[in-house]
Each structure stands twice: as C-alpha cells, then as structure tokens.
Amino acid sequence: MRIKTLVLGAAVAFAMTPAAMAAERGSDGHVNIIYWQAPSILNPFLSGGTKDIESASLVIEPLGRYDPNGNLVPYLAEEIPTVDNGGVSEDLKSITWKLKPGLLWSDGSPVTSADVKFTADYCMDPEGGCAQLAKFDGVDTVEIVDDLTVKVNFSEPKPNPYGPFMGGQSPIIQMAQFKNCMGAKAPECTEANFAPIGTGPFVVDEFKPNDVISMSANPNYRDPAKPAFATLTFKGGGDATAAGRAVLETGEFDYAWNLQLAPDVLAKMAEGGKGKPIAAFGSLVERLEMNLTDPSPSLDADTRSTRKAPHPFLSDINVRKALSMAIDRNLLVEIGYGQAGRPTCNLVPGPAVYASDNTDCLTQDIAGANALLDKAGWVKGADGIRAKDGVRLSILYQTSTNAVRQDFQALIKQWWGEIGVETELRNLNASVFFGGDPGSPDTFQKFYADVEMYANNFDGTDPQAYLSMYRCNNEPRPETQWQGENINRFCDPEYDKLVDELSRTSDLETRYALSKKMNEMLTKETYTIVPLVDRGRVSAHANSLGGVVLNTWDSELWNVADWYRIK
C-alpha cells in the first residue's frame, strides 16, 4: 500500500457542524472566549505558542484544515488537491492549489495566488526565523499559475504534500500588509503582527498583548450568514482554575480552553451547571526538553543557549537518562489528569500507526538511576549532590505558571533529589513563556534554563513536519531572532537523513517505521526529550453555545464561524 492511495482519498469531506442557527450575520450578539495563556502576537509565523496560533486562527486562515477525525477539508481552496483530481502530480513533486473565486480580505481587496506565494516566501526567508518553517520542508519553489492558482514544487517526491498552507499553523497572510516585513524586519511590524488583515470570520478591533482582544464580525466573510456573533472578546491570562470557573460555574464566558486541572477539581466545577467539559485525545504530550547547550548567564548573548557552547552536564546521555528513570509517570497522570491523561514514553503518541512500542520509561527506577550515575562517575558530595570534574548536577527547571505543572515540578524535584540532583524551580507567566518576543529572556524558545516543561501538538495526523522540527540548524538562535522549532538544540546528521528519507517515502509501512525510529532517537536513544503524559485536550463551553466541535488535529477554534447561541 502506498501513500498515493492516501493522497487519492484525502479530500473525503467531513460532515460539518450544524450551520449557525442565525438567519443573518451577527444576529446572536456577543461571544466570550477565555484562554488562560494570553496571546502576545497574532502572527503564528513568529510564535510557536498555541495561544497565539489559535487566537490568530479567528482572523487568518489556511487553504485547508484538518477536521476532528484528521481528514483534510478545504477552506480557502476549492478542494483538497489529490493525484486523483490532478492537483498532486503523478511523480509527487508538486501540488497545485486553486483558491475559491471571489474571496476577499477583510479590507475588501481580493485574495489571490500572489498572497499564497508571498506567504511561502515570508516564512522561508533565511533571515526571518519562521516558527513554522518545518511546514515548508522540501519546498523548492512556489509559482503563480494564474490569479487563483498556485503551484508548490518540491525538490524531491513528496508523499505528504500537505505541509504548506494546511492547518492553523500555516495560514495565508496578505502580501500588501506584510510586504515590508520580510526577514529580520518581521518582528518589527507591530501593526501587522497585532492586527493582521484576514479572511476569517472575525477582524481585530483592538489587541492588548498579554491581555485581551476585541473582535467583530468580518463584513467580507465568504458566507453572508456567518459568523452568528457580531462581536467577540478573547480574554487571556489568569489560570486554568479561573478559566474553568468562568464557564462552568459563573457563566461569565462561553468557551474556556485547555483546562489543565486535576480531575476532581474539574468534576466539582462541572456541578455548577453553567456549562460542560469536552475532551478528546490527539497528539498533545507534556514533556521535558533537555537543553543540550549552556544557558549560563556568564556567557555572551551570541553564545548563551546556542550550539557554540555544549551543556556542562546535560551533554552526558547518562545524566539525561537518569533524570528520566527517576520519574513516576503513572503518579503524574493520577494527580494531574486522571482519565484525561496517559503515561507515555513517546513524543508522537498517536495516531496508533505512528506510535512506537516504547514502554521502557513507564516504570520508575530510582535505584537504577543512581547506579547509572555512579557508573558514569557522578559522585555524591557531603551535601548529597553529585558532581564530576568540578561540575555539580544543579538544574534550573522552568515551565509556565499552572497548578498542575507546579505539582509536577514539586514531585520531579523530589525524585531528582533522590538521585543526587539539585533542582531550582522556576515558573513563568504563560503569555511570556510561550510568547515570541526576541528581547525577552523568559521565552521557551530562548531556553535560558537547563530543563523546561511544556506541551504542544501537530496539525493533522501525519507527524512528518513535527518530527522535522528537530533538524540541525532549526534551533532558535540570535541569527533567527530566537525563533525556531528545535527547542533543545538537538543535532544529529543521521536524524536529518531520516527526515529526508521520510519526506520522500511513499510506502505507508515504511513511513510508520521511519516515524517510530525518529521518535525513539529523540526519546529512547538520546533522552533529549523526556515525554511524561499523553494529554487529552480538555476544554469547556457554555450550555448556551451551540456548534462547538472539539478538534485535536487543528486549532480548537477551527469552526468558530459555525458557533451560535442556543435560544
């Protein structure tokens, strides 16, 4: 079986959510959304933070999306290109997209193939540090065929050609607005980055970074009956507890994202009767990233946390492996997620065909971790902390501020103490931690710590672009304005060869095997990533909000145009 058969059937349509009950645009008044991680920018090409990608998805859209079952569905495109309909070439070296006719940007100007090509040029600019560059892996050229048609040419056959312009992580931006924002100038275009002109159901009226976004219905949205809501407030900040209460108990908000709460806390909130939690598993993994570079503040700005300076002790695989062995993942699931979590050793936990049979980490082994460090020459001192050649195992462990994550930190610090590792805990405001500000020392991209913990996921059901993030030279660094997806600075030419092989392999069984091998290189073989929990996505919506369909394969707000007020 070859992936060409998958490409042949890629355009199977999803039964879309019930149409908005309103007879005309804006007739259902106002809707309130709360994300406890506040957006800091509305340009997903300059931030890998989920809260930035999803808030931006209300305004800017891709050519196609993934539905809740992982199927590809057209949005700005007429249809999903396949080999069968002629949109994907027989040699799998090109994909041709056709825009729907009559599409308008929110400012009333026409959407053309020039905007699509520009989007690729913008992200692929070598000085731009695009946060979604892996989506364009293998792209050779993007050419304009006519005003509504664009052709993406790949340097080699591309069995999975749906990286560029698919999903909430790869939307189309307007050339006229961003044409002077290329390369190193990209972060400087504040007006465009905070209020992009889009094709989505809403437009930005006012954006207060790390706080609140006020939006109104896009007067040029392609469906004259949508969105049902005339205005929208996107509130950011606070914590998951406050967000959950605002929907489930007080009814102040209509939708709350990512309720990362202990299961008993969530169940108690649901008794408030104002709304209901919704949950689904996808590819979201809570994990530890091990910094392979030296984050010491004594280093100059061009060297700190870059591959110019290897980490003084995390460069030792024995240390990374011991840190993983000391963790009780089953207890983390029990206290943090209950039925909405599963212990995992995989960065890619699903779909099942891509998930490695990797279970070595599921049993905590404190004794084994101590023995491993003893053998590697890390000796405990009088204070119980190990050292070797004058280097102490003293870790700065950071994450975002969240009750569940702080519980995880406390337990992991305790377990690491049992193997002779000193741990300092640091938690940062999520809006800052997941922001893309190149001037901030506190972003997860800059990684001015030894270990950091967070979760993210990938669009769709194929992990190729996700695994491609860990290519050499795809790490954040000063030359890329600290943008990049290879957060732990992993670099292995053998891994890069597998990335290239996966990108050109069409046999499905081989793709599954390659993906598993790459996953194991990052986790089981090198421990540069230490997975903890396969997290089910848990959000909540008001009983009065209709049309909501939780989607773990794309932006949660993927179908906000279909939301409506239940009378």
Side-chain angles (χ1 to χ4, degrees), residues 286-298:
E286 191 80 12
R287 80 303 195 103
L288 302 177
E289 297 267 350
M290 302 286 171
N291 195 343
L292 299 181
T293 62
D294 191 346
S296 172
S298 64

Side-chain angles (χ1 to χ4, degrees), residues 37-116:
Q37 294 178 9
S40 55
I41 194 170
L42 291 177
N43 182 351
F45 295 117
L46 297 184
S47 173
T50 302
K51 40 85 175 185
D52 299 320
I53 294 168
E54 300 206 352
S55 55
S57 74
L58 296 164
V59 179
I60 50 179
E61 302 176 300
L63 298 183
R65 286 197 181 282
Y66 298 93
D67 73 15
N69 298 316
N71 299 313
L72 286 69
V73 292
Y75 262 60
L76 299 184
E78 278 271 70
E79 60 183 354
I80 298 295
T82 65
V83 172
D84 192 42
N85 63 27
V88 176
S89 63
E90 285 286 342
D91 62 4
L92 304 180
K93 292 189 70 173
S94 70
I95 181 171
T96 300
W97 291 91
K98 295 184 178 181
L99 288 163
K100 292 177 178 176
L103 290 174
L104 297 176
W105 293 103
S106 57
D107 65 359
S109 62
V111 179
T112 73
S113 54
D115 295 301
V116 182

Side-chain angles (χ1 to χ4, degrees), residues 204-486:
V204 178
D205 295 325
E206 183 181 18
F207 177 37
K208 298 178 180 178
N210 303 322
D211 185 8
V212 65
I213 313 169
S214 298
M215 299 187 180
S216 57
N218 178 0
N220 291 303
Y221 188 62
R222 57 190 171 275
D223 188 331
K226 297 177 182 179
F229 294 102
T231 53
L232 178 150
T233 296
F234 190 111
K235 181 71 176 77
D239 54 43
T241 302
R245 285 174 176 162
V247 172
L248 299 172
E249 293 182 356
T250 69
E252 180 183 359
F253 281 81
D254 296 297
Y255 190 88
W257 162 86
N258 188 23
L259 297 184
Q260 196 175 357
L261 299 166
D264 57 331
V265 173
L266 188 61
K268 183 66 177 177
M269 285 184 185
E271 294 175 3
K274 298 290 187 179
K276 60 182 179 181
I278 49 177
F281 279 95
S283 60
L284 188 67
V285 171
E286 191 80 12
R287 80 303 195 103
L288 302 177
E289 297 267 350
M290 302 286 171
N291 195 343
L292 299 181
T293 62
D294 191 346
S296 172
S298 64
L299 299 174
D300 64 71
D302 289 333
T303 303
R304 186 182 183 188
S305 280
T306 74
R307 288 202 289 118
K308 297 174 185 176
H311 197 282
F313 59 83
L314 287 177
S315 297
D316 184 346
I317 187 175
N318 297 294
V319 175
R320 302 195 301 269
K321 183 176 181 179
L323 293 173
S324 176
M325 293 169 67
I327 297 170
D328 185 344
R329 289 162 175 79
N330 293 287
L331 182 57
L332 294 181
V333 169
E334 180 182 336
I335 68 162
Y337 298 99
Q339 295 299 308
R342 300 181 289 213
T344 188
C345 304
N346 288 324
L347 177 64
V348 178
V353 290
Y354 289 104
S356 173
D357 183 19
N358 180 12
T359 60
D360 291 356
C361 79
L362 297 184
T363 301
Q364 184 186 40
D365 188 0
I366 295 289
N370 273 308
L372 179 63
L373 291 173
D374 287 340
K375 185 177 180 180
W378 293 94
V379 180
K380 286 186 178 179
D383 59 357
I385 304 305
R386 294 180 182 272
K388 180 180 179 181
D389 299 329
V391 177
R392 282 166 54 87
L393 293 188
S394 182
I395 286 176
L396 175 58
Y397 168 20
Q398 70 180 18
T399 188
S400 63
T401 303
N402 170 271
V404 171
R405 285 190 170 137
Q406 270 66 81
D407 286 345
F408 278 25
Q409 280 187 305
L411 281 171
I412 291 172
K413 176 179 179 177
Q414 175 186 322
W415 294 325
W416 286 351
E418 293 176 30
I419 64 171
V421 177
E422 180 180 59
T423 306
E424 177 187 349
L425 302 180
R426 184 185 190 206
N427 64 83
L428 298 157
N429 180 283
S431 299
V432 175
F433 184 61
F434 293 113
D437 182 359
S440 172
D442 297 327
T443 65
F444 81 108
Q445 298 102 326
K446 193 159 280 187
F447 206 169
Y448 281 175
D450 303 295
V451 176
E452 62 186 13
M453 179 173 65
Y454 62 90
N456 64 11
N457 61 312
F458 53 89
D459 280 346
T461 57
D462 188 295
Q464 178 181 318
Y466 193 59
L467 292 168
S468 297
M469 296 192 306
Y470 294 93
R471 272 189 183 277
C472 297
N473 298 318
N474 196 26
E475 71 277 1
R477 56 194 187 278
E479 296 83 356
T480 64
Q481 290 75 54
W482 291 103
Q483 293 298 332
E485 302 155 298
N486 186 350

